[in-house]
Amino acid sequence: MLRKRTAGQDGGERAQPDRRKATCEAPAAVNKQQEKRSCWSTVVLLGKILLLVIFVPPFLNYASLQRERQELGPKGAQLIDVGLGQKISLICKGHGQPVVILDAPTGMSSDVWYHVQESISQATKVCAYDRVGLGFSWRVMENQTTGMEKVWRSSTTGRMVDDLHRLVKAAEIATPFILVGSELGALNGRFYSHIHDAQVLDLVLISPIPEDVFEEEKWQQYWYTHLVPTLQMMQLSAAAGVSRLLLILGLLQPTLRGDDVTEAVVQRQKYLLSNPAHQSSAVDEHFFLNESASQVRDISKFKPLSSSTSVTVIVGDSFDEELPAHLNQVFAELQRKALERAYPQAHRIHIQGADRRMIYKKPSSVSKHLLELVSKRQTKQQRQ
């Protein structure tokens, strides 16, 4: 006898394919969850690595800088309090008079005078210093100072000259002295000599910046669209700890190096390349160089240089051999006109095969002329 199929039996048979379907779908759902977990784990791992890359190098760099500042300071250097909460690193070598004061190029520390200072110290006392914010000098925050910042913007020649004048007083440097400046240091030397002419016997300008160079569009474009952004990247690299890594890998090299440079100087250069505070001041000096040049132009008109101060100008074949020829030509022509206008009686010296780096790439050539100047002054003093 045939039995009648019940609804429950029909449902059971229909449920079997559904169970088989659910059984097949279950592993797929599990796999998707595992894939999600795996993707999320990868994201978390990448985030951790990114955090390590962002935060660990700057932290390690900062810790290293604190230790190196104590260990790498120039031997024999003094940290002179010049007021306004600022302290300037001054290193003097040798004995005798007249004293020679060396003012470094734009954005550079006193170490660039290493070879020149060693040579000159054999004949007389020679002092090099780090401008405020550079090297081992202390740069005070803007809201902590009072006085000359109301007159001269920070990182311009006016402020630097005011700092140097207070340094000369605080360090009791014998006057009158021979003042030697390169690039921005030359602008500072000019400003100082016009204001404090009784303190300067001889003014030596190395690769001097002409006051009106930034009125030339091509030069201004190079300076503010290429050079300054490059220096800003160096500052960012130092702050991120990348510069230290590049130095370790040998992909970044200090300015002064070679067999004739001591290990202490090399390590100081590496410290400064890794120091965002030093790099920040270097950026500021380049950024405000236009204003510094304007200040020198104004002071030259207001107070001409005393006839008792001699001027010597030392130049190379070009301002910078790495620049395009047309920019060097523009610079050379403006420099020639500016010097003829301001110091028509200046003694001009040309160093073959040199550019603005001559003070550390051809130091013997620079030292030779400075030693001749020192010798003339010493001979004159002896006769008197």
Side-chain angles (χ1 to χ4, degrees):
M1 177 185 256
L2 297 174
R3 300 180 63 181
K4 192 173 182 180
R5 192 181 297 243
T6 63
Q9 289 175 327
D10 289 340
E13 289 184 6
R14 284 196 300 270
Q16 287 178 0
D18 292 340
R19 282 196 295 269
R20 285 194 296 268
K21 183 178 179 181
T23 304
C24 293
E25 288 178 349
V30 171
N31 288 338
K32 287 182 179 179
Q33 290 178 354
Q34 289 177 344
E35 287 177 5
K36 287 181 179 179
R37 290 195 190 105
S38 177
C39 290
W40 178 247
S41 298
T42 302
V43 170
V44 171
L45 178 61
L46 290 174
K48 290 179 178 179
I49 293 173
L50 184 61
L51 288 174
L52 286 173
V53 170
I54 292 174
F55 292 107
V56 172
F59 176 79
L60 293 177
N61 184 56
Y62 178 79
S64 298
L65 290 174
Q66 301 310 302
R67 172 179 53 81
E68 290 167 349
R69 184 174 184 87
Q70 301 298 322
E71 297 177 354
L72 298 178
K75 187 177 180 181
Q78 299 174 275
L79 201 57
I80 307 294
D81 189 337
V82 296
L84 301 179
Q86 301 178 141
K87 294 184 179 180
I88 292 180
S89 177
L90 174 72
I91 180 167
C92 295
K93 297 182 179 181
H95 302 279
Q97 291 187 22
V99 177
V100 177
I101 297 181
L102 305 172
D103 201 345
T106 321
M108 292 189 173
S109 72
S110 57
D111 274 331
V112 295
W113 294 108
Y114 172 75
H115 295 295
V116 173
Q117 188 172 23
E118 288 293 325
S119 297
I120 304 301
S121 66
Q122 305 303 313
T124 191
K125 181 177 180 178
V126 54
C127 299
Y129 74 104
D130 293 333
R131 291 189 292 270
V132 170
L134 297 176
F136 289 82
S137 292
W138 291 5
R139 183 181 190 179
V140 74
M141 298 299 291
E142 287 295 322
N143 60 0
Q144 292 179 287
T145 66
T146 57
M148 288 307 296
E149 76 276 7
K150 296 178 181 178
V151 180
W152 311 113
R153 188 198 300 269
S154 180
S155 298
T156 64
T157 284
R159 279 288 294 276
M160 295 172 195
V161 166
D162 183 59
D163 291 339
L164 178 56
H165 183 55
R166 285 185 277 114
L167 175 64
V168 169
K169 285 184 175 180
E172 298 180 344
I173 295 175
T175 60
F177 46 75
I178 297 174
L179 185 53
V180 183
S182 176
E183 296 179 47
L184 174 58
L187 285 176
N188 295 344
R190 292 179 59 190
F191 195 111
Y192 194 102
S193 300
H194 282 257
I195 295 294
H196 308 291
D197 52 353
Q199 295 185 354
V200 183
L201 273 175
D202 301 281
L203 173 62
V204 181
L205 308 175
I206 302 175
S207 300
I209 305 289
E211 307 96 297
D212 51 356
V213 67
F214 289 97
E215 295 177 10
E216 172 56 49
E217 184 178 354
K218 292 179 180 178
W219 183 266
Q220 188 180 90
Q221 184 177 12
Y222 155 73
W223 197 266
Y224 288 107
T225 64
H226 174 72
L227 181 59
V228 170
T230 299
L231 294 170
Q232 289 171 331
M233 286 301 298
M234 288 291 293
Q235 178 188 350
L236 180 62
S237 176
V242 175
S243 295
R244 185 174 293 274
L245 180 60
L246 295 177
L247 286 164
I248 292 172
L249 296 174
L251 300 176
L252 182 62
Q253 296 293 333
T255 300
L256 272 73
R257 58 185 184 274
D259 296 336
D260 55 348
V261 179
T262 67
E263 182 62 22
V265 173
V266 173
Q267 291 304 317
R268 273 203 301 276
Q269 295 293 296
K270 290 182 178 180
Y271 160 79
L272 295 178
L273 284 169
S274 303
N275 188 344
H278 171 85
Q279 297 298 329
S280 173
S281 294
V283 169
D284 288 348
E285 287 194 353
H286 283 83
F287 187 83
F288 293 116
L289 191 64
N290 186 7
E291 190 168 336
S292 291
S294 296
Q295 291 173 358
V296 173
R297 178 174 57 240
D298 293 343
I299 207 68
S300 298
K301 294 177 181 177
F302 174 74
K303 192 175 186 300
L305 185 66
S306 169
S307 58
S308 62
T309 302
S310 75
V311 180
T312 301
V313 179
I314 303 178
V315 297
D317 294 336
S318 61
F319 174 70
D320 189 336
E321 62 185 10
E322 296 179 4
L323 284 180
H326 72 279
L327 284 178
N328 276 314
Q329 291 170 0
V330 166
F331 184 91
E333 182 62 19
L334 291 172
Q335 184 187 67
R336 182 186 62 79
K337 290 179 179 178
L339 291 171
E340 287 179 353
R341 182 172 60 249
Y343 312 111
Q345 304 301 319
H347 176 47
R348 293 180 64 89
I349 296 171
H350 175 259
I351 297 180
Q352 192 74 27
D355 67 351
R356 66 189 182 92
R357 301 174 182 84
M358 69 178 77
I359 61 175
Y360 52 90
K361 284 198 170 183
K362 287 184 173 290
S364 59
S365 299
V366 175
S367 299
K368 172 187 172 184
H369 296 293
L370 294 180
L371 286 169
E372 289 176 356
L373 192 57
V374 169
S375 179
K376 288 179 182 178
R377 285 298 180 183
Q378 288 177 337
T379 301
K380 189 174 181 180
Q381 288 174 354
Q382 290 171 359
R383 288 175 180 172
Q384 292 175 343

